[in-house]
Amino acid sequence: MENEVYSLCFMCSVRCPIRVVTKDDHVKWIEGNPHVSGMEGSLCPRGAAGTALLYDNERVQSPMIRTGPRGTGQWKKATWEEALNMVGDKLKGIIDQHGPQSVVLGERTQLATHVSKTFLKAIGSPNHFTHDAICKGSVNTAGRSLLGYTDAQMGMDYKNTRHIVLYGRNFFEAIEVKGVNALTEALENGAKLTYIDPRVTVTATKSQRYWMIRPGTDLALNYGLIHIILRDRLYDAEYVNRWVAGLQELQEFIQPYTPRWAEKETGIPASEMEALAREMDKDRPSVIFHFGYRGANHTNEIYMRRSILILNALMGSIEAKGGIFLKKGPGEVGKKPARKLTEQDFPGINVPRFDKVGTPDFPLPDPAHGVGQILPYAILEEDPYPLKALINYRFDPLMSIPDTNLTRKALDKLDLIVTIDINYSDIAWYSDVILPESTYLERTDCVQQANGLKPQIFLRQQAVTPRYDTRPGAIILKQIGERLGIGNYFPYRTMEDLVIWQLEGTGFYIEDFKKKGFVAYTDRQIFWDRKDGIKFKTPSGKIELVSSLLEDAGFESFPAYEPMPSPPENQFRLVTGRCALHTHISTQNNPYLNEIAPENVLWINVEKADELGINDGGMVKVTSERGAGMVKAFVTDLIHPEAVFLMHGYGHQAQAATRSFNKGINDGLLMENISDMIGGSPAFHHTCVCVNPA
Ligand SMILES: Nc1nc2c(c(=O)[nH]1)N[C@H]1C(S)=C(S)[C@@H](COP(=O)(O)OP(=O)(O)OC[C@H]3O[C@@H](n4cnc5c(=O)[nH]c(N)nc54)[C@H](O)[C@@H]3O)O[C@H]1N2
Ligand SMILES: Nc1nc2c(c(=O)[nH]1)N[C@H]1C(S)=C(S)[C@@H](COP(=O)(O)OP(=O)(O)OC[C@H]3O[C@@H](n4cnc5c(=O)[nH]c(N)nc54)[C@H](O)[C@@H]3O)O[C@H]1N2
Ligand code: SF4
Ligand SMILES: [Mo]
């Protein structure tokens, strides 16, 4: 019999609402949830490959316990009882001997994040981290420093925008389906798109204005733009007078950063900057300078992201139709959000985090997420104390933290590595125990509290019975918890019990999700009054250009610009990013997606390639101070001569994933693990590489 189930995609963590058609416990069809405005049936290629994931027999089919040296692929198939007992016993031993803080859990932020945070709080370890800092920690900190809101607490009104400026925000390849549909509609209605990237991406081809910027110089470009806007008073004076603190200081700071100066640094003609500033002035406040999705490129990342938000502040586009909005929660309409297990009482913890976030050494990154890329250093240097056990939950430190060789060396020091995954990822392959999670189509998940212009709740509902011996992550963690004597913190037996517990007090019930997969707290869009009602969460209640958050921690609001050096002779700045067909490191072994995009290539500028004797399609050796590898060259005039580009996510080393094993090269192998030590992001584009014909 045919059945339809409303759920949430998880081929990437955007979690688009979907409608799944099943027949006889098989998935027949997946499409975007037609009841959700902006989805209208659409999915991206990865979402459409969800069935290939479900029916892939190369995913992890039962708990596995390692029997040979790490990473050699010698495994024993285990029962859940065996695997959970083993993990429980080992953790108990480690906690008794080294203290609970020696246990770390790292994950990609997801619906069950409150469950894993609860697990660590209950054992007494401060060491939970998410992927957040590695993706965009400095955007988060920049947002808090100016507005009191993180990037995740802001949204963009793409549909009604008149002009959007994207800094390497490769909108039409690094996908979020609703955003793509909304911006496409705006462009069809005459909105303008300015795109800035050292590389001609698909998004560049859809823009009216494209700037091939010299890599790493976006901050200089923005200083040039701010200079023009303040010089010619192209800003929203009424909004700025009401909401912005520190304009005078900005005005003084920006004096030397003329458009001519910015032209020299960026390679973008000053006259074009003048033209953009005038166009934005004409269309404000329905304009967006996009603050980015991945914001993890350079060690000055926080200042580059702040400069983008400052441009929005000057345009008056924050909390404007067609601009950036602050997300509203159910409290705005007098209702309650879904409960989280973390609201329980826990024993106090008084040791610092492994990454020292929240201490004077690293005061500003968001303590709700921590800074994951510090982990290899913390393990190797036993600073602030020895770490002994690592639980990886939907996160791969080997491929997602830069400098793979350094991370592997650190992992070798650990007594226990446990991974909760669906695939034989490189970290699963390197673990002592793999605990396989049911895929998103096979499990009900924790509820998704979706704040925004209209607060809503979504639910991932199980579509089919698990094909293999797998379990939901929130059940796996509870069952490890039971073996550590903290079972009382997990007041549920099934996922449905947990959902019912979470919904208590919201006024909604689990049955309410059957028909459309979501519920809404209100039908109207909530914008705050721009004259007097915007609730900025800074100490002054204003947009703080001179930031109390930064200055109280001893950092400058406007440090002098440091020029971005060109790469040394015959070297290139290695830059990275995504394609529409893959999610980070997760989908390269997916039967459908692997067939279309099996390996990556190195984009290199045609003139540079000629000088080095490199042919299009020929193999090249790429070398950095951290590692080396071989890959095919893509010789093109579509990339700036100072940069080479590698798609992230290739070069897998897990042999059980046979389609992706050793295909292409892992960008992380070449990168140095270096960070913006104020904002918290890694500097993925810091490393320079040599390229030679192989
Ligand atoms: N070198 C380099 N490093 C990077 C980046 C880069 O461009 N270059 N990008 C950075 C960015 S922006 C991000 S967001 C991070 C992402 O880093 P990660 O979160 O590590 O990457 P993902 O590919 O999203 O997923 C990680 C793991 O989740 C598993 N997984 C997928 N679905 C499920 C599920 O339902 N349950 C469980 N338990 N596991 C599942 C996958 O099999 C995979 O092993 O990487 C960062 N690291
Ligand atoms: N298909 C797909 N979509 C995704 C994801 C995915 O894995 N696959 N992941 C999701 C996640 S977690 C994230 S973080 C987002 C990432 O979304 P984006 O941040 O939009 O995407 P990236 O591909 O990381 O973008 C990097 C771009 O920056 C450019 N770039 C390099 N150097 C510079 C520079 O100096 N200046 C400028 N202006 N540009 C530069 C690169 O050439 C590249 O095109 O995508 C999300 N959507
Ligand atoms: S963007 Fe694509 S892969 Fe990600 S959740 Fe949406 S449909 Fe799924
Ligand atoms: Mo990301």
Side-chain angles (χ1 to χ4, degrees):
M1 208 186 69
E2 274 206 0
N3 206 353
E4 64 171 17
V5 181
Y6 290 96
S7 190
L8 292 171
C9 180
F10 204 36
M11 291 300 286
C12 85
S13 41
V14 169
R15 298 189 287 264
C16 295
I18 51 173
R19 174 177 172 266
V20 183
V21 180
T22 65
K23 191 171 179 213
D24 304 331
D25 211 17
H26 271 67
V27 173
K28 289 287 169 204
W29 177 249
I30 308 175
E31 63 180 9
N33 184 337
H35 302 294
V36 174
S37 145
M39 287 302 298
E40 277 98 36
S42 32
L43 276 186
C44 86
R46 300 160 297 148
T51 45
L53 167 69
L54 177 64
Y55 296 109
D56 183 3
N57 57 11
E58 288 196 0
R59 61 184 166 98
V60 189
Q61 302 188 4
S62 71
M64 303 295 277
I65 295 175
R66 178 171 69 80
T67 56
R70 278 188 185 145
T72 57
Q74 290 161 272
W75 298 104
K76 174 176 94 146
K77 199 171 152 175
T79 63
W80 277 99
E81 205 54 25
E82 261 176 293
L84 292 167
N85 286 344
M86 181 185 153
V87 172
D89 287 348
K90 289 239 161 160
L91 281 177
K92 237 188 286 170
I94 287 169
I95 293 170
D96 285 349
Q97 208 184 334
H98 304 280
Q101 73 281 359
S102 65
V103 180
V104 185
L105 187 150
E107 71 178 310
R108 170 67 192 236
T109 313
Q110 49 169 330
L111 298 175
T113 294
H114 70 120
V115 181
S116 25
K117 284 191 172 180
T118 297
F119 181 88
L120 283 200
K121 281 174 191 282
I123 62 172
S125 170
N127 291 325
H128 177 275
F129 74 89
T130 78
H131 81 294
D132 195 84
I134 301 173
C135 171
K136 60 194 176 59
S138 301
V139 191
N140 174 321
T141 310
R144 283 182 291 122
S145 79
L146 281 157
L147 317 165
Y149 287 89
T150 69
D151 56 305
Q153 295 164 336
M154 295 184 251
M156 299 186 203
D157 185 11
Y158 299 118
K159 198 168 154 179
N160 296 304
T161 197
R162 301 302 310 145
H163 195 151
I164 186 167
V165 181
L166 302 172
Y167 301 80
R169 170 69 189 96
N170 187 6
F171 211 85
F172 295 102
E173 290 181 277
I175 296 176
E176 176 222 329
V177 172
K178 273 199 230 175
V180 168
N181 287 345
L183 187 57
T184 304
E185 193 181 324
L187 295 176
E188 281 166 1
N189 290 332
K192 290 201 205 73
L193 166 59
T194 293
Y195 186 72
I196 304 154
D197 194 316
R199 184 173 70 97
V200 182
T201 62
V202 169
T203 311
T205 67
K206 298 191 186 296
S207 67
Q208 284 85 356
R209 178 188 283 113
Y210 165 64
W211 289 337
M212 186 180 275
I213 194 169
R214 192 167 76 81
T217 63
D218 301 72
L219 178 58
L221 166 65
N222 284 348
Y223 284 167
L225 287 170
I226 294 171
H227 184 103
I228 298 167
I229 290 166
L230 293 183
R231 182 197 66 200
D232 296 349
R233 300 193 177 275
L234 304 178
Y235 57 87
D236 185 334
E238 198 186 337
Y239 182 95
V240 168
N241 286 339
R242 172 64 186 87
W243 294 116
V244 173
L247 189 71
Q248 185 64 38
E249 288 85 346
L250 177 65
Q251 221 137 15
E252 280 157 28
F253 167 77
I254 214 71
Q255 285 311 316
Y257 302 114
T258 63
R260 285 254 167 268
W261 166 85
E263 172 174 333
K264 281 206 201 92
E265 180 71 359
T266 62
I268 300 167
S271 58
E272 291 206 34
M273 293 178 210
E274 302 268 358
L276 175 65
R278 294 206 145 59
E279 284 174 31
M280 295 304 269
D281 176 44
K282 209 164 93 272
D283 282 328
R284 68 179 165 74
S286 296
V287 296
I288 298 169
F289 287 92
H290 197 302
F291 52 70
Y293 197 153
R294 178 165 67 81
N297 300 331
H298 295 283
T299 52
N300 66 357
E301 198 71 25
I302 182 170
Y303 292 106
M304 143 54 175
R305 302 295 157 177
R306 274 173 54 83
S307 70
I308 301 179
L309 284 163
I310 290 172
L311 283 162
N312 286 290
L314 295 175
M315 292 297 118
S317 64
I318 300 171
E319 205 59 13
K321 196 166 178 167
I324 293 176
F325 58 84
L326 304 170
K327 291 187 182 172
K328 317 298 182 311
E332 283 296 311
V333 290
K335 305 227 169 107
K336 285 209 172 122
R339 297 174 72 188
K340 289 182 174 174
L341 291 175
T342 41
E343 69 189 42
Q344 303 174 91
D345 286 331
F346 298 95
I349 296 174
N350 44 27
V351 280
R353 299 176 49 89
F354 75 85
D355 50 23
K356 301 190 189 168
V357 166
T359 74
D361 284 342
F362 211 7
L364 293 189
D366 191 341
H369 297 287
V371 176
Q373 74 273 16
I374 301 295
L375 183 67
Y377 296 112
I379 298 172
L380 287 167
E381 290 155 25
E382 304 198 351
D383 178 19
Y385 41 71
L387 298 172
K388 295 292 171 186
L390 174 65
I391 304 174
N392 307 288
Y393 183 10
R394 209 219 161 284
F395 175 74
D396 181 351
L398 273 173
M399 289 190 82
S400 304
I401 292 178
D403 198 345
T404 306
N405 289 325
L406 180 84
T407 307
R408 191 179 303 108
K409 197 168 144 207
L411 294 181
D412 286 342
K413 262 190 88 169
L414 295 174
D415 293 348
L416 178 67
I417 308 175
V418 179
T419 297
I420 303 173
D421 205 318
I422 53 174
N423 291 312
Y424 280 102
S425 57
D426 280 18
I427 188 60
W429 192 247
Y430 211 70
S431 296
D432 305 328
V433 184
I434 314 175
L435 302 174
E437 182 161 31
S438 308
T439 65
Y440 68 102
L441 294 164
E442 302 167 309
R443 68 178 195 254
T444 294
D445 223 318
C446 299
V447 308
Q448 159 148 310
Q449 179 72 47
N451 294 343
L453 284 173
K454 291 185 213 169
Q456 296 170 315
I457 300 181
F458 288 82
L459 188 60
R460 173 173 293 134
Q461 310 190 80
Q462 183 178 348
V464 290
T465 310
R467 294 191 63 220
Y468 303 118
D469 190 11
T470 59
R471 294 180 181 177
I475 301 288
I476 298 173
L477 286 170
K478 168 193 162 73
Q479 292 174 337
I480 302 174
E482 282 163 354
R483 285 157 174 85
L484 298 175
I486 54 165
N488 54 310
Y489 288 98
F490 306 90
Y492 53 91
R493 207 180 49 82
T494 63
M495 288 310 295
E496 287 70 23
D497 295 343
L498 179 51
V499 170
I500 291 166
W501 182 90
Q502 286 198 275
L503 290 174
E504 273 171 23
T506 61
F508 300 113
Y509 301 92
I510 194 165
E511 305 74 50
D512 299 342
F513 295 85
K514 279 272 169 301
K515 237 164 97 193
K516 293 186 191 166
F518 70 101
V519 293
Y521 286 92
T522 168
D523 288 339
R524 67 185 175 96
Q525 293 197 333
I526 310 169
F527 274 103
W528 286 323
D529 175 17
R530 282 163 56 79
K531 281 222 164 66
D532 231 21
I534 310 181
K535 299 169 196 168
F536 292 113
K537 287 198 292 197
T538 49
S540 62
K542 294 195 171 189
I543 300 175
E544 295 189 353
L545 305 186
V546 176
S547 161
S548 44
L549 188 80
L550 284 173
E551 309 229 336
D552 290 351
F555 301 113
E556 289 177 89
S557 297
F558 303 117
Y561 180 83
E562 284 184 28
M564 179 58 62
S566 290
E569 175 92 19
N570 282 333
Q571 290 192 32
F572 301 87
R573 191 164 295 284
L574 174 68
V575 301
T576 185
R578 355 236 139 264
C579 66
L581 289 161
H582 284 299
T583 296
H584 303 287
I585 58 130
S586 304
T587 54
Q588 286 72 22
N589 201 52
N590 179 290
Y592 290 177
L593 300 172
N594 180 275
E595 195 179 320
I596 321 176
E599 61 185 11
N600 57 356
V601 291
L602 184 85
W603 292 45
I604 183 166
N605 177 274
V606 59
E607 280 171 31
K608 291 285 178 181
D610 282 351
E611 282 168 30
L612 293 166
I614 291 167
N615 300 320
D616 186 35
M619 288 302 279
V620 289
K621 183 166 186 203
V622 193
T623 318
S624 76
E625 283 182 10
R626 309 308 306 166
M630 308 260 271
V631 67
K632 270 186 208 150
F634 170 49
V635 175
T636 176
D637 58 0
L638 302 180
I639 187 165
H640 193 283
E642 284 192 8
V644 289
F645 173 81
L646 265 183
M647 202 75 76
H648 173 53
Y650 287 94
H652 286 250
Q653 293 305 306
Q655 290 167 26
T658 62
R659 304 171 206 108
S660 60
F661 173 63
N662 243 346
K663 294 275 166 57
I665 178 177
N666 166 12
D667 59 339
L669 193 67
L670 301 161
M671 288 172 180
E672 201 177 330
N673 182 343
I674 177 170
S675 297
D676 165 2
M677 291 306 288
I678 303 176
S681 291
F684 285 126
H685 297 174
H686 180 82
T687 307
C688 291
V689 295
C690 298
V691 184
N692 293 298

